Amino acid sequence: MNNSPIGVFDSGVGGLTVAREIMRQLPNESIVYFGDTARVPYGSKSKETVTKFSEQIIRFLKTKDVKAIVVACNTASAFALPEISKETDIPIIGVVDPGAYAANKTTVNGRIGIIATEGTVMSDTYAKVLKGINPELQVFSKACPLFVPLVEEGWLYDSVTYEIADRYLHDLMSYDIDTLVLGCTHYPLIRRTIQKVVGDDVTLINPAYETAKALEKVLVDNGLSAENRKAEHKFYVSDSVSKFRTFALGILPCSVDYVECVNMEQYSE
Amino acid sequence: MNNSPIGVFDSGVGGLTVAREIMRQLPNESIVYFGDTARVPYGSKSKETVTKFSEQIIRFLKTKDVKAIVVACNTASAFALPEISKETDIPIIGVVDPGAYAANKTTVNGRIGIIATEGTVMSDTYAKVLKGINPELQVFSKACPLFVPLVEEGWLYDSVTYEIADRYLHDLMSYDIDTLVLGCTHYPLIRRTIQKVVGDDVTLINPAYETAKALEKVLVDNGLSAENRKAEHKFYVSDSVSKFRTFALGILPCSVDYVECVNMEQYSE
């Protein structure tokens, strides 16, 4: 048994959809969440920059005595997971592998679509992981840069969002995919609009759900699960505390009492 | 005469519309441009964070021996101009004042609209400056957070962009404005779409144009103008050099040979 918290980080607030799944599936586990709200988004930035920011965050999370780390950001998982794993000996899992394994289990015709940020698509990480699992799979990717701002604008079930989703997904649908990975943590929030565009014959994969399941396995395998108790969650951000709290309260099933602003520059090498 | 360069900075690439105007109006002046592409955007972030980033950039620009600085970002101008002016003795001008003066000269009915980022609108800086010029003016503001991602997606004259602009501008138009300030450096790139929505009776104000005129006055008044010669421009960014160069070449009337990536953390206090 180990009651230390799980470190969860994201470029901003999107990773709260992953934190929410961990809270649901692993209610005894405390979370230390970090959202890099001063430097968000990561999805349009380079591998070098995303890796540097992620390394700083790992150093910060280590000061909070976390027993495992979840990279709750597809772009950071896609670009930086190998490098940041070198920063620490504790288990560290990203969202890409769990999402890819679930997509492989789900597909019948072997044709999988990935929608994600520009960075995640450019990295080609989902395709590489999927082909590693099964070289026969065919993977089709599409960057959807307007989805995050549409979610942040709150236009979740809007005619404009539908029109933009229709445009982004048109080519993917012509490839006859039967499985679509929501490869950015914001996308589950417009899941219904995306499902309407692709139709009920395409199964949507939410890596947040799969990542929480993968985390449970890692904790059990390493004897790191917390005992039965009331978990306590703490939140850290690099920009405004109040704006984060408002958004978090709309997503999480818990109160968001402890939020602190952190100056990330002190975690540079 | 002073042949030192002008420092121009922005959260990313939007400020290139201001640099372009300076190149057009002041062809002898060399520019040192800094785009904070690792931390872009500023428009959705807090005053404290935008001010801290802007102070670091001023410290960087001072190492380049600039003779004057243009804050080519509405959010940084709105939030941080007083604080960053303390960092240096050289002339420093933002884009808000020139835009506000031009709007005051243009309006006939005294009703002015401002469209800008969330940060610029929240700061209420345009309204304060305009009321300082003429207390009788009525100012109506609207944040348009989807405009920047739409411009970066390249959907400049698109039906989706028109639909979103129509939605954002609907309330502003009901206030019978006759002048509309494009209060974010990206917005001039969708100027034609905005004009189509508001109609030809509303005059659009581009602060980039006005800022270059204001810069010329500051240089002349302080005896800082460059002699007749071929100007040389250098570009610095905090993220990927190649991505910046591609975008810059689409906006600027010059070659973009010198682009260097800078680690901004070394300019922390």
Side-chain angles (χ1 to χ4, degrees):
Chain A
M1 290 298 181
N2 183 323
N3 290 339
S4 294
I6 310 289
V8 177
F9 83 85
D10 178 47
S11 57
V13 295
L16 290 168
T17 62
V18 179
R20 177 173 66 183
E21 279 302 328
I22 296 170
M23 291 174 188
R24 277 182 187 155
Q25 295 184 35
L26 305 170
N28 296 333
E29 299 297 343
S30 295
I31 289 173
V32 169
Y33 183 94
F34 177 79
D36 199 0
T37 49
R39 305 187 292 197
V40 70
Y42 286 2
S44 54
K45 290 163 192 169
S46 70
K47 175 175 179 167
E48 291 67 32
T49 292
V50 170
T51 303
K52 185 177 84 173
F53 291 168
S54 301
E55 286 168 345
Q56 292 173 355
I57 296 167
I58 298 292
R59 282 177 218 131
F60 163 73
L61 288 173
K62 282 164 75 177
T63 69
K64 299 298 167 192
D65 193 30
V66 296
K67 64 184 174 188
I69 291 175
V70 175
V71 186
C73 170
N74 281 272
T75 311
S77 298
F79 272 151
L81 202 52
E83 282 78 3
I84 58 182
S85 296
K86 292 178 200 154
E87 292 277 331
T88 177
D89 294 330
I90 62 174
I92 178 161
I93 62 172
V95 286
V96 171
D97 283 22
Y101 277 92
N104 176 58
K105 269 196 210 161
T106 302
T107 185
V108 174
N109 71 3
R111 301 172 76 83
I112 296 171
I114 310 292
I115 50 174
T117 64
E118 194 190 336
T120 302
V121 168
M122 291 269 289
S123 77
D124 211 28
T125 305
Y126 269 104
K128 287 174 194 157
V129 173
L130 282 163
K131 299 237 179 213
I133 299 168
N134 177 357
E136 303 293 310
L137 293 173
Q138 288 196 273
V139 184
F140 308 92
S141 301
K142 174 71 184 169
C144 304
L146 284 163
F147 279 176
V148 170
L150 284 165
V151 167
E152 297 198 338
E153 185 66 318
W155 294 4
L156 306 184
Y157 314 115
D158 191 284
S159 60
V160 160
T161 307
Y162 182 87
E163 161 72 21
I164 291 173
D166 194 48
R167 209 179 285 194
Y168 278 147
L169 298 169
H170 184 267
D171 286 351
L172 274 191
M173 294 312 294
S174 72
Y175 297 131
D176 191 30
I177 59 169
D178 70 353
T179 304
L180 180 63
V181 178
L182 306 178
C184 168
T185 52
H186 275 74
Y187 298 178
L189 300 170
I190 50 168
R191 183 184 185 114
R192 275 201 273 156
T193 300
I194 293 169
Q195 189 79 68
K196 204 167 144 196
V197 170
V198 299
D200 290 338
D201 293 340
V202 175
T203 305
L204 302 187
I205 302 292
N206 178 1
Y209 179 81
E210 312 298 337
T211 301
K213 284 207 295 187
L215 173 64
E216 181 175 21
K217 184 167 186 321
V218 164
L219 294 178
V220 170
D221 289 353
N222 291 276
L224 290 173
S225 301
E227 59 194 350
N228 194 354
R229 57 164 190 159
K230 183 167 163 34
E232 279 180 20
H233 308 304
K234 292 187 177 180
F235 302 87
Y236 297 86
V237 287
S238 48
D239 192 24
S240 162
V241 162
S242 59
K243 196 171 164 187
F244 176 85
R245 183 181 276 123
T246 305
F247 199 97
L249 284 170
I251 292 189
L252 296 178
C254 65
S255 61
V256 182
D257 299 322
Y258 189 99
V259 188
E260 189 181 320
C261 181
V262 183
N263 177 6
M264 287 315 285
E265 282 153 11
Q266 60 188 296
Y267 298 97
S268 301
E269 253 181 321
Chain B
M1 290 296 182
N2 184 323
N3 290 339
S4 294
I6 310 289
V8 177
F9 82 85
D10 178 48
S11 58
V13 295
L16 290 169
T17 61
V18 179
R20 178 174 62 183
E21 280 300 327
I22 296 170
M23 292 174 188
R24 277 182 188 156
Q25 294 183 35
L26 306 170
N28 296 333
E29 300 296 342
S30 294
I31 290 174
V32 169
Y33 183 93
F34 177 79
D36 199 1
T37 49
R39 306 187 291 197
V40 69
Y42 286 1
S44 54
K45 290 163 192 170
S46 70
K47 176 176 177 164
E48 291 68 30
T49 291
V50 170
T51 303
K52 185 177 84 174
F53 291 169
S54 301
E55 285 167 345
Q56 291 172 356
I57 296 167
I58 298 290
R59 281 178 219 129
F60 162 72
L61 287 174
K62 281 164 74 177
T63 69
K64 299 298 169 193
D65 192 29
V66 295
K67 63 184 173 186
I69 291 174
V70 175
V71 186
C73 169
N74 281 271
T75 310
S77 298
F79 272 151
L81 200 52
E83 283 77 3
I84 57 182
S85 296
K86 291 178 200 153
E87 292 277 331
T88 177
D89 294 330
I90 62 173
I92 177 162
I93 63 172
V95 285
V96 171
D97 283 24
Y101 277 93
N104 176 59
K105 270 198 211 162
T106 302
T107 186
V108 174
N109 72 3
R111 302 172 76 84
I112 296 170
I114 310 291
I115 52 174
T117 64
E118 194 189 338
T120 302
V121 169
M122 292 269 286
S123 76
D124 211 26
T125 305
Y126 269 104
K128 287 174 194 157
V129 173
L130 282 163
K131 300 234 179 216
I133 298 169
N134 176 359
E136 304 294 310
L137 293 173
Q138 289 197 273
V139 184
F140 308 92
S141 301
K142 174 71 184 171
C144 305
L146 285 163
F147 279 176
V148 171
L150 284 165
V151 168
E152 297 198 337
E153 186 67 317
W155 294 4
L156 306 184
Y157 315 114
D158 191 283
S159 60
V160 160
T161 307
Y162 182 86
E163 161 73 20
I164 291 172
D166 193 49
R167 209 180 283 193
Y168 278 147
L169 298 169
H170 184 267
D171 287 353
L172 274 192
M173 293 313 294
S174 72
Y175 298 131
D176 190 29
I177 58 168
D178 70 354
T179 304
L180 180 63
V181 178
L182 306 178
C184 169
T185 51
H186 275 74
Y187 298 179
L189 300 170
I190 49 168
R191 183 186 186 115
R192 275 199 274 157
T193 300
I194 294 169
Q195 189 80 67
K196 202 167 145 194
V197 170
V198 299
D200 290 338
D201 293 342
V202 175
T203 305
L204 302 187
I205 301 292
N206 178 2
Y209 180 80
E210 312 299 335
T211 300
K213 285 206 295 186
L215 173 64
E216 181 175 20
K217 185 169 185 323
V218 164
L219 295 178
V220 169
D221 289 354
N222 291 275
L224 291 173
S225 303
E227 57 195 351
N228 194 352
R229 54 159 194 165
K230 183 166 162 38
E232 279 180 21
H233 309 304
K234 291 188 178 180
F235 302 88
Y236 297 85
V237 289
S238 48
D239 192 24
S240 161
V241 163
S242 59
K243 199 172 162 186
F244 175 85
R245 183 180 278 124
T246 305
F247 199 96
L249 283 170
I251 292 189
L252 296 179
C254 65
S255 61
V256 182
D257 299 321
Y258 190 101
V259 188
E260 188 181 321
C261 182
V262 183
N263 178 5
M264 287 316 285
E265 282 152 10
Q266 60 187 299
Y267 298 98
S268 302
E269 253 182 324

